[in-house]
Amino acid sequence: MSKTAESGSTAVDPASIPQRTLYTGATMPAVGLGTFGSDHVTPAQVANAVKGAAAVGYRHFDCASVYGNEPEVGASIEEIQRGGVKREDLWVTSKLWNDKHGENDVILSCRKSLADLRLKYLDLYLVHWPFPNFHPPGCDVSSRSADAKPYIHENYMKTWRKMEELVEMGLVRHIGTSNMTIPKLKQVLRDARIKPAVNEMELHPHFQQPELFKFVVKNGIQPIGYCPIGSPGRPERDRTPEDTAPTEDGVIVEIALRHGVHPAVVCIKWAVQRGQTPIPFSVHNYRANLENVTRDPLTDDEMQEIAKLDRNCRLIKGQVFLWKDGQSWEALWDVNGEITPP
Ligand SMILES: NC(=O)c1ccc[n+]([C@@H]2O[C@H](COP(=O)([O-])OP(=O)(O)OC[C@H]3O[C@@H](n4cnc5c(N)ncnc54)[C@H](OP(=O)(O)O)[C@@H]3O)[C@@H](O)[C@H]2O)c1
């Protein structure tokens, strides 16, 4: 631990943060800061958290055009570099939104994120969802898009070719997928010239996705875990009665008491020790989340206890992507082991 110049407070030495090695040989900090402010955290607050997080040692930031705050976050990223952090020591991710899958939109969208984030290149650019779909930001889960389309592999690969071009142009160091399933990834791995370096997926103690997790690791793809705490701050409209909260799980609470930390911190420690890269969002607790991944690890017994808590409880179900009347959200996730037919 060292003192930060800005605040005089204790910071985590970035060199002590665990790293993941991608198949290219590049390394990525094994914990990042999420930047989706949801309904209740303004772009200015998120941008402020990005600066504060960098001051306490974060070097990995998970951004997306749809979060509506890349210009503000970009100003913080510029300030962080002015303060002495080198560009090569930062890891910045952004994502292509669903209404920009068109062949003429991918490069333009990436350039817009780069301009907003005030960067010459991104470390990672993801296809945010495998479904091309416009729906207004903030719409209800029951809202359906008239132009919603199923996953059509040929079309996804047209988008992917443009993602590959971004790497060749030097605008992006790595490309990856998000919200994918094993059947979809199998086809992408078969047809990609540049294979995905990461897959971003929902991962927390109540939704461990063991098969997909194993599949991506076996294929040399790093799993990045979103909603690592179970997204306690997500909007009401994104909640369903069957959702559970990992931070309220008795086992997690007990382990947290034993370690003298918040249950959210146990979720982050578990994620890093299991091998995924959690990207917890936080404007108030980011320091604790980072500090605790560098000390007082969970024991093997505690890791095993948490492994048993999986409830297959997906929180981000993606209902707005459904393309047919009467479909249930499970259709989006290929639960029968094959890509759900159109
Ligand atoms: N690829 C995708 O499709 C996708 C989908 C969803 C999310 N994401 C990414 O994943 C990130 C994380 O997901 P998320 O924001 O939904 O949920 P999350 O990280 O699971 O939960 C964030 C919430 O946890 C609270 N929190 C964080 N650390 C805490 C601690 N130590 N003690 C107590 N409370 C704590 C935060 O409150 P405070 O702010 O008060 O600390 C915030 O309300 C997003 O920001 C986004 O970057 C990606």
Side-chain angles (χ1 to χ4, degrees), residues 33-36 40 62 67 95 128-129 178-179 200 226-233 262 264-265 279-285 288-289 316:
L33 186 79
T35 66
F36 176 43
H40 57 287
D62 182 80
Y67 301 162
K95 313 187 190 86
H128 207 144
W129 285 84
S178 177
N179 295 303
E200 195 164 303
Y226 73 69
C227 302
I229 297 165
S231 200
H262 190 279
V265 167
I279 43 169
F281 175 83
S282 179
V283 291
H284 302 115
N285 299 284
N289 292 345
I316 305 300

Side-chain angles (χ1 to χ4, degrees), residues 6 44 47-48 50-52 54-55 71-86 90 117-119:
E6 286 106 321
N48 212 29
V50 167
K51 270 191 283 181
E72 292 82 357
V73 168
S76 294
I77 289 177
E78 191 174 67
E79 214 177 305
I80 291 163
Q81 292 177 85
R82 269 208 308 270
V85 178
K86 292 198 198 105
L90 290 172
L117 291 167
R118 307 189 190 187
L119 293 172

Side-chain angles (χ1 to χ4, degrees), residues 10-32:
T10 306
V12 176
D13 178 357
S16 69
I17 300 167
Q19 304 284 316
R20 307 292 182 214
T21 303
L22 280 65
Y23 74 75
T24 57
T27 54
M28 170 179 81
V31 58

